[in-house]
Amino acid sequence: MFKQALLKALNIGANPDWLQQKSLNLLQKFGNLSYEQSLALQIIDRPHYGYCVYHSAALAKKLGYSRISVVEFGVAGGNGLINLEYHAEQVSKIFGIDIDIYGFDTGEGLPKPIDYRDLPYHWQESFFKMNIPELKNRLTKAQLVLGDIRETVTNFFQEYQPAPIAAMFHDFDYYSSTIAAFKMFDEDEKYLLPRIYCYLDDVIGSEIELYNDYTGIRLAVNEFNENHSLKKLSPAYHLLTRQHLKTWYHQIYIYHDFSHSKYNQFISSDAQQLPLQ
Ligand SMILES: C[S@@+](CC[C@H](N)C(=O)[O-])C[C@H]1O[C@@H](n2cnc3c(N)ncnc32)[C@H](O)[C@@H]1O
């Protein structure tokens, strides 16, 4: 049936992109694929969330961690957090590693923008309010940390004693909120992996947002990098050089803490040699 559908599509002169998408749709429906296969083919809800959870758990495992945390900054209605629960559950089984999930939000939607750096021409106070009881009812594992990040960031680690953070999903929309979330990178290294997979939602937008290096999340990244000599956020160049680019590849950044005691721990393939042929 799968083959017939493809041949029929070829006969009617379908273009390769369309054909590829149709094949993927069929695979998703009838292929009985494993989670890893669906993730690799990106026929899964929020592949960028899955990508970060999967690869951060793989790294954690290699570094000897048995429990990690993943964090969403900006929860809104909660669709992202629920999706994160799904990915964490699947990945946890694959690597035999426990994954805790935290979601940070005011619960009341966006706070007031501080100034032009928060792009008030695009965002407004109280966008994205949460229905707290409804979301709490739907969550099976994730914990909500409610309040303004500028306050909650100060005692989160003492209060929750979280397992080391391995992946972050930054979707606070604002420069001011994101730079506050980045304060977590200043915490004791016992709470953080030496390299952390970060998804930054608002570095790519449209002709309305016109995201740039001097406002919003890109400014927060630039300021963080300028102010830290041994801690840096870098684009994920290994994704940006893939043949078929996806927009979200540009939204993955890797946090590096060069001063972390586990930063130099060897995790690559053993016995690499290139004998003369
Ligand atoms: C675009 S929404 C998040 C969407 C969500 N990640 C998803 O994928 O469905 C942005 C959220 O960030 C939250 N937010 C922005 N600034 C905040 C701050 N300073 N403290 C806490 N939450 C904040 C807002 O309340 C809002 O719900």
Side-chain angles (χ1 to χ4, degrees):
M1 191 178 115
F2 180 54
K3 196 174 158 192
Q4 271 170 352
L6 287 182
L7 288 174
K8 193 172 161 205
L10 273 174
N11 280 338
I12 59 170
N15 75 42
D17 286 350
W18 182 89
L19 247 187
Q20 194 194 26
Q21 195 49 53
K22 280 285 164 207
S23 318
L24 290 175
N25 292 349
L26 283 169
L27 262 177
Q28 185 177 27
K29 217 165 168 188
F30 304 110
N32 199 17
L33 301 179
S34 69
Y35 172 80
E36 278 176 299
Q37 288 167 328
S38 305
L39 185 61
L41 291 169
Q42 301 195 26
I43 43 179
I44 204 161
D45 213 14
R46 299 199 188 213
H48 46 293
Y49 273 40
Y51 173 85
C52 291
V53 177
Y54 183 92
H55 288 282
S56 63
L59 173 62
K61 185 84 183 176
K62 285 183 175 171
L63 291 172
Y65 294 92
S66 59
R67 186 179 204 104
I68 55 171
S69 301
V70 298
V71 180
E72 186 182 48
F73 294 104
V75 175
N79 294 319
L81 202 58
I82 285 170
N83 175 269
L84 203 46
E85 286 189 328
Y86 165 70
H87 288 294
E89 190 188 351
Q90 299 298 319
V91 171
S92 177
K93 282 190 237 160
I94 293 167
F95 292 104
I97 206 167
D98 290 320
I99 305 179
D100 297 327
I101 308 160
Y102 297 95
F104 286 77
D105 204 288
T106 59
E108 295 158 6
L110 292 177
K112 259 194 191 0
I114 53 161
D115 58 28
Y116 73 95
R117 291 170 293 179
D118 286 345
L119 278 76
Y121 61 77
H122 177 55
W123 306 116
Q124 284 197 337
E125 189 180 356
S126 80
F127 274 9
F128 313 121
K129 282 184 179 167
M130 180 188 292
N131 182 330
I132 300 172
E134 197 174 287
L135 177 57
K136 281 189 171 166
N137 217 15
R138 290 273 302 280
L139 293 173
T140 53
K141 169 134 195 182
Q143 299 184 67
L144 280 176
V145 184
L146 294 175
D148 194 307
I149 188 67
R150 287 165 284 202
E151 285 144 33
T152 52
V153 74
T154 54
N155 59 359
F156 169 67
F157 293 95
Q158 285 69 24
E159 201 177 322
Y160 288 80
Q161 295 291 318
I165 297 174
M168 292 179 169
F169 303 88
H170 288 273
D171 195 7
F172 270 154
D173 302 334
Y174 283 175
Y175 154 82
S176 58
S177 308
T178 305
I179 202 85
F182 286 171
K183 288 211 175 96
M184 287 197 177
F185 294 136
D186 295 330
E187 274 299 323
D188 191 297
E189 67 163 50
K190 73 179 178 197
Y191 294 123
L192 302 157
L193 255 66
R195 291 179 290 284
I196 297 176
Y197 283 79
C198 298
Y199 168 75
L200 308 184
D201 191 68
D202 297 292
V203 291
I204 305 282
S206 70
E207 289 80 0
I208 303 288
E209 294 93 320
L210 293 178
Y211 291 134
N212 62 84
D213 283 327
Y214 310 98
T215 63
I217 281 51
R218 287 182 181 271
L219 173 64
V221 169
N222 293 340
E223 274 188 16
F224 177 85
N225 284 341
E226 269 165 33
N227 294 334
H228 294 78
S229 59
L230 289 174
K231 296 178 179 181
K232 302 283 182 189
L233 279 155
S234 167
Y237 293 113
H238 62 286
L239 290 175
L240 300 180
T241 46
R242 281 189 181 177
Q243 194 183 0
H244 300 290
L245 283 181
K246 300 273 182 190
T247 303
W248 66 263
Y249 294 173
H250 296 271
Q251 294 165 293
I252 306 292
Y253 280 62
I254 310 296
Y255 166 73
H256 294 261
D257 177 0
F258 308 123
S259 58
H260 195 293
S261 59
K262 282 181 179 276
Y263 191 84
N264 296 330
Q265 189 174 318
F266 187 76
I267 58 154
S268 198
S269 323
D270 283 336
Q272 298 180 39
Q273 303 294 339
L274 289 172
L276 184 64
Q277 299 193 333

